[in-house]
Amino acid sequence: METVDVIIPTYRPTKRLFRILERLHAQTYPIQRIILINTEESYFEQLIYGTSVEHAFDLDRLFENVELRHIRKEEFDHGGTRRLGVALSDADLFVCMTDDAVPADTHLIGELVSGLSGDGVAVCYARQLARKNSSETERFVRQFNYPEEPCVKFERDRERLGIKTYFCSNVCAAYRRDVYEELGGFVEHTIFNEDMIYAAGAVKKGYGIAYRPSARVYHSHHYTGRQQFRRNFDLGVSQAKHPEVFSGLKSEGEGIRMVKQTAAHLYRVGKKEQIPGLIVESACKYAGYQLGKHYALLPRKLIDACTGNREFWNREFGESS
């Protein structure tokens, strides 16, 4: 049996982290270690010391196979922090998760491991389910991006799938350690998209990217327009900085298709009142994305106003936080 470690970067973690650890401990496929790379120790202490004895959390038990490493906020990097987590692991396979993705059942790790067993598969990512309190729009978008049908994507699928050939999400994804070492790991310094950049490198080397819908996590957000703008600004920056991956692969068409299908769905299920919000949200995404793609033309002050990750730009420009 191949060994598995789980790597989770955390920042201002909530009690949801305890639920994640509970469900990871209950997995039918054994986990060797859970490696938490936490940004800013004080926030983690607030979570632990703010947990009253009335809560049914056995902290000693929850953290019994957990390795905790603290870093400063200015040290956090989407690629570099995950590289640190992998460096702390010696498992055959490792699973990257975020601190707001909750395993849906006890079979998550086993399903991801099974997804990696296919010939030439480098990484396998899970299906993301909307939480109970999610809007109808968010539910449909999750279904659009994470359908019920499994697949394995190779370079030969690029003409048919376009940019989705390289789609992969570190909200929950499993990696083969030997392939990771061969490919050189996650990009060291990136504002966003370390998962897709890695997946693209794997595909171009002949490996496959598996999607396993039977591996499921609950993960959804309700972003404001401003948050969507900043998130997509950083997405545009990441694509502009990696033309070797994204050049010639337009993502706007896929986004337009998603908006049209979402609007049609809202109309069909009697949620027409959500369509104006969808349009505003989509406009914020598009504006942020286009500005991000052309970040090199922007002054630093405007970049700071647009980004969701100022620490990245401090490092980019060689400044201290």
Side-chain angles (χ1 to χ4, degrees):
M1 178 180 285
E2 293 180 295
T3 55
V4 175
D5 284 343
V6 176
I7 298 164
I8 309 177
T10 63
Y11 178 57
R12 294 191 175 187
T14 67
K15 289 173 183 172
R16 184 180 289 140
L17 178 62
F18 297 143
R19 191 155 71 249
I20 293 170
L21 294 177
E22 283 273 15
R23 295 202 178 177
L24 288 177
H25 284 309
Q27 293 295 301
T28 55
Y29 194 104
I31 296 169
Q32 178 178 264
R33 279 188 306 159
I34 301 168
I35 300 170
L36 303 182
I37 310 295
N38 176 67
T39 300
E40 294 297 340
E41 184 172 2
S42 60
Y43 294 130
F44 204 90
E45 289 178 344
Q46 287 173 23
L47 172 67
I48 300 301
Y49 296 129
T51 302
S52 66
V53 293
E54 287 89 44
H55 287 96
F57 297 122
D58 182 345
L59 294 182
D60 288 338
R61 179 177 57 82
L62 283 182
F63 285 86
E64 110 184 286
N65 68 332
V66 172
E67 179 169 341
L68 177 61
R69 176 71 63 94
H70 296 292
I71 61 174
R72 299 187 307 276
K73 189 176 181 182
E74 57 268 25
E75 295 177 290
F76 176 81
D77 181 271
H78 282 282
T81 298
R82 287 174 173 86
R83 284 178 70 96
L84 171 60
V86 179
L88 295 172
S89 166
D90 60 1
D92 303 315
L93 315 172
F94 62 89
V95 175
C96 286
M97 294 180 65
T98 56
D99 65 0
D100 58 353
V102 180
D105 54 40
T106 60
H107 304 293
L108 172 67
I109 301 300
E111 290 294 333
L112 289 172
V113 171
S114 295
L116 285 176
S117 65
D119 289 341
V121 173
V123 54
C124 175
Y125 64 99
R127 185 181 189 189
Q128 296 180 30
L129 305 173
R131 296 193 180 95
K132 289 181 180 179
N133 61 351
S134 299
S135 68
E136 189 66 30
T137 298
E138 179 68 12
R139 289 178 181 279
F140 184 82
V141 168
R142 290 289 154 186
Q143 178 68 33
F144 181 91
N145 288 325
Y146 301 93
E148 295 178 1
E149 300 77 22
C151 68
V152 181
K153 301 171 288 187
F154 291 92
E155 183 67 13
R156 61 177 176 264
D157 299 309
R158 178 174 162 167
E159 186 173 342
R160 176 174 60 91
L161 296 176
I163 198 168
K164 292 201 84 170
T165 309
Y166 304 146
F167 181 75
C168 179
S169 175
N170 267 348
V171 163
C172 185
Y175 295 81
R176 296 209 64 86
R177 178 62 173 260
D178 54 352
V179 177
Y180 176 88
E181 298 291 354
E182 176 192 336
L183 298 178
F186 297 122
V187 62
E188 183 78 41
H189 174 57
T190 182
I191 191 170
F192 203 63
N193 254 354
E194 84 293 333
D195 39 18
M196 280 187 69
I197 294 167
Y198 177 87
V203 167
K204 291 180 179 182
K205 287 289 187 179
Y207 291 103
I209 307 302
Y211 166 60
R212 189 86 166 182
S214 51
R216 304 175 304 149
V217 293
Y218 289 106
H219 178 263
S220 54
H221 292 286
H222 179 65
Y223 289 123
T224 65
R226 177 177 292 184
Q227 288 171 323
Q228 292 283 18
F229 176 90
R230 288 179 172 169
R231 182 177 175 82
N232 281 269
F233 177 85
D234 292 347
L235 172 64
V237 169
S238 74
Q239 292 194 11
K241 281 184 166 291
H242 292 276
E244 77 283 0
V245 173
F246 299 103
S247 179
L249 289 174
K250 292 186 176 180
S251 59
E252 292 93 330
E254 186 68 14
I256 292 170
R257 187 169 76 91
M258 183 179 72
V259 172
K260 287 181 176 179
Q261 290 192 16
T262 306
H265 171 78
L266 292 173
Y267 186 87
R268 189 166 56 248
V269 300
K271 299 283 186 179
K272 291 182 287 186
E273 72 279 1
Q274 292 187 23
I275 294 177
L278 170 67
I279 294 171
V280 171
E281 178 183 298
S282 301
C284 290
K285 288 181 178 180
Y286 185 75
Y289 174 71
Q290 288 297 330
L291 271 175
K293 284 184 69 174
H294 299 91
Y295 78 92
L297 303 176
L298 305 180
R300 174 65 195 276
K301 285 187 177 180
L302 184 54
I303 288 174
D304 282 346
C306 293
T307 187
N309 190 347
R310 289 193 183 185
E311 286 72 25
F312 171 87
W313 295 104
N314 289 337
R315 292 192 299 273
E316 187 79 356
F317 290 103
E319 301 171 3
S320 58
S321 297

